[in-house]
Amino acid sequence: MTDATSVSLGGETVKATAAKFTMAAIGFAGTIVFARVLGPAGFGGFYLLFSLVKLGDRAVNGWGTAIMKRFSEAGAPERELIGGQLVFTLGWLGLMGVVSLLASQWLVSYTGLAAAPVLFVVLMSAVTLYEPTDRVVQARGLVGASMWIDTFRSLLTFPLQLALVLLGLGAAGMAYGLAAATFLSLPVLWYFVRTKPTIPSRDTITSLWSYAKYSIPNSFLGQTYDRFDILLLGYLLAPAAAGQYEVALKLTVPATFVMMAAQSVLMARVSRLHSQGEDVSDDVSNTLAFASIVAIPMFFGAVAMPELLVVTAFGSEYADAAALLVGLALFQIVSTQSGPLTSAIGGIDRPDVNTWISSTTLALNIVLGVALTLAYGAIGVVIATVVAETLRYLLSAYVVSRELPAVELVPRTLLEQVAAAVLMFVLVRPLIDIVAVDRWYHLLAVVAFGAAVYSVALFAISRKLRVTIEGVVRESRLEISSN
């Protein structure tokens, strides 16, 4: 049976990252189309609703994290864990249905969507059945499979959403399309679970709860923190402001792909190795070395041409998002470094520490976010998020340095990425002044030039990158030959 230590961290990360970029291409095309068709209000209304769904599913998500942690441990009662997952999910869905009924009027007024209560239940059903199952696949170390199934879901989502929007359903079409694609992808996900559920024993439930009592609040705090900006903008300003923010955020999302792919493997590996009394420092250090490999050049690219990126892709009505783009790109650099540290802390069975860190950073983000948004508008909430994420990183780094002193928190490879990105900026900035960029293919050419400069420079100066690429290629050849 496959487990997290029997697969390659680098190989699974590369496969998962490739899937993430494929999803990004599909999702970005969809974002451009729907942002233009629905306008800031309708587009923002959908993401306000989806943010509420993602807050409402946190209990299931946190329970799924506990399942993932216990599933990845040596000698885990796998069938009982799957049974415990299904029972909890179905119970939570019933509760959320009642909540949607009671809060129906508020949901409509907050999102501006007449069908918001029904859409809330439909989306909640889809994501709470999909995400915990996905965690089990990741717990086996099969993050590449997990991400490619998610890519398959994206391939279904875009045409379904587009058809429903064009049929006149508006923002509701985006919700129904996403839910339908998610339900259709579930059988593929279950194929990789390969475990029949059974009724969990009392000992299994006790073991799950010992972790879930921290992972559930951690999940709620983390999602509140992640979506606080857009929820606050929808409350203090308007759905249109949330739409501007979402556009800027979508442009920076690819910055997180390597980190997210590696983070999923990392927690399962750290959990497995730690349960066996083995050292995990090398895995954590290697993840930190490459987690920001895309985020760093994206930040310098955003600094070089923020308005060009936003207006060329989404149109002049989203020009205000340019001011948010640079701040969110900076946030992603810090986030891609703090994410692996959070996974490492959870993997060594210290979810209580993550709860304390999440509570502290969320409290700071709320206080600063409200104050700065009232004072400076949408840019204020971005500033608050950057400050809060920096605090998260510092606190997580302190805990990791204390618990895992052999971890290298600032690897040389990370500094080499900064150097390559600076060179890219120095060459791209004057190119923009020389060449008129007024078409999407002009912008694509400039981005491709910058990516080429960064890639070549980093490959030339980073020995660790070259060694890692050689290792992944060698493992891929062995995997192909064995099949």
Side-chain angles (χ1 to χ4, degrees), residues 158-180:
F158 178 55
L160 287 171
Q161 287 182 322
L162 183 61
L164 294 173
V165 168
L166 293 179
L167 284 172
L169 293 180
M174 292 185 67
Y176 288 129
L178 174 58

Side-chain angles (χ1 to χ4, degrees), residues 106-457:
W106 179 83
L107 285 170
V108 173
S109 64
Y110 180 68
T111 64
L113 304 177
V118 175
L119 300 177
F120 181 85
V121 173
V122 171
L123 284 171
M124 181 68 69
S125 300
V127 298
T128 53
L129 289 172
Y130 184 94
E131 292 181 356
T133 309
D134 184 53
R135 295 286 180 109
V136 175
V137 176
Q138 293 179 15
R140 292 197 181 281
L142 301 175
V143 177
S146 164
M147 295 300 176
W148 278 108
I149 294 168
D150 206 10
T151 303
F152 170 71
R153 182 171 68 140
S154 295
L155 284 169
L156 293 176
T157 298
F158 178 55
L160 287 171
Q161 287 182 322
L162 183 61
L164 294 173
V165 168
L166 293 179
L167 284 172
L169 293 180
M174 292 185 67
Y176 288 129
L178 174 58
T182 302
F183 286 127
L184 290 171
S185 302
L186 270 170
V188 185
L189 204 59
W190 270 101
Y191 171 78
F192 287 92
V193 172
R194 298 178 181 176
T195 302
K196 294 181 179 179
T198 190
I199 299 173
S201 66
R202 183 173 181 177
D203 288 343
T204 299
I205 295 295
T206 301
S207 176
L208 281 171
W209 177 246
S210 68
Y211 197 91
K213 66 183 179 181
Y214 296 110
S215 63
I216 289 175
N218 283 348
S219 181
F220 177 78
L221 291 168
Q223 188 65 26
T224 303
Y225 177 78
D226 288 343
R227 304 306 291 168
F228 173 73
D229 291 9
I230 192 169
L231 292 170
L232 183 66
L233 291 175
Y235 180 73
L236 292 181
L237 301 180
Q244 299 279 356
Y245 178 92
E246 192 67 32
V247 158
L249 183 64
K250 289 290 185 184
L251 285 171
T252 68
V253 164
T256 67
F257 289 168
V258 175
M259 181 273 291
M260 291 176 68
Q263 187 179 13
S264 299
V265 188
L266 181 66
M267 181 180 176
R269 282 179 68 91
V270 169
S271 174
R272 184 83 175 192
L273 292 171
H274 186 261
S275 71
Q276 296 172 336
E278 299 181 34
D279 182 56
V280 301
S281 299
D282 286 345
D283 283 336
V284 178
S285 298
N286 288 335
T287 303
L288 289 172
F290 293 104
S292 303
I293 195 170
V294 179
I296 291 171
M298 286 195 70
F299 168 71
F300 283 95
V303 172
M305 47 182 180
E307 189 165 347
L308 278 175
L309 288 167
V310 173
V311 173
T312 303
F314 294 98
S316 57
E317 62 182 330
Y318 288 96
D320 290 343
L324 312 178
L325 180 63
V326 175
L328 289 173
L330 177 60
F331 160 76
Q332 298 292 18
I333 292 180
V334 186
S335 174
T336 51
Q337 286 297 297
S338 61
L341 297 177
T342 299
S343 288
I345 294 169
I348 61 174
D349 222 9
R350 293 303 307 272
D352 55 314
V353 173
N354 279 333
T355 301
W356 173 73
I357 292 174
S358 295
S359 300
T360 304
T361 53
L362 177 60
L364 177 63
N365 199 20
I366 291 173
V367 173
L368 279 181
V370 172
L372 295 180
T373 301
L374 291 174
Y376 303 108
I379 191 63
V381 78
V382 175
I383 295 171
T385 298
V386 173
V387 173
E389 188 63 24
T390 302
L391 177 63
R392 177 192 292 275
Y393 169 77
L394 293 174
L395 292 174
S396 300
Y398 170 76
V399 173
V400 169
S401 65
R402 187 186 63 192
E403 299 285 341
L404 303 169
V407 170
E408 191 177 2
L409 290 173
V410 186
R412 173 174 174 160
T413 308
L414 186 66
L415 301 178
E416 292 167 344
Q417 291 161 24
V418 174
V422 170
L423 175 63
M424 178 198 75
F425 176 84
V426 169
L427 295 178
V428 167
R429 183 59 245 183
L431 178 64
I432 297 170
D433 296 332
I434 295 171
V435 179
V437 182
D438 50 11
R439 294 289 188 274
W440 67 267
Y441 47 85
H442 296 159
L443 178 63
L444 185 62
V446 172
V447 171
F449 172 75
V453 170
Y454 174 75
S455 301
V456 171

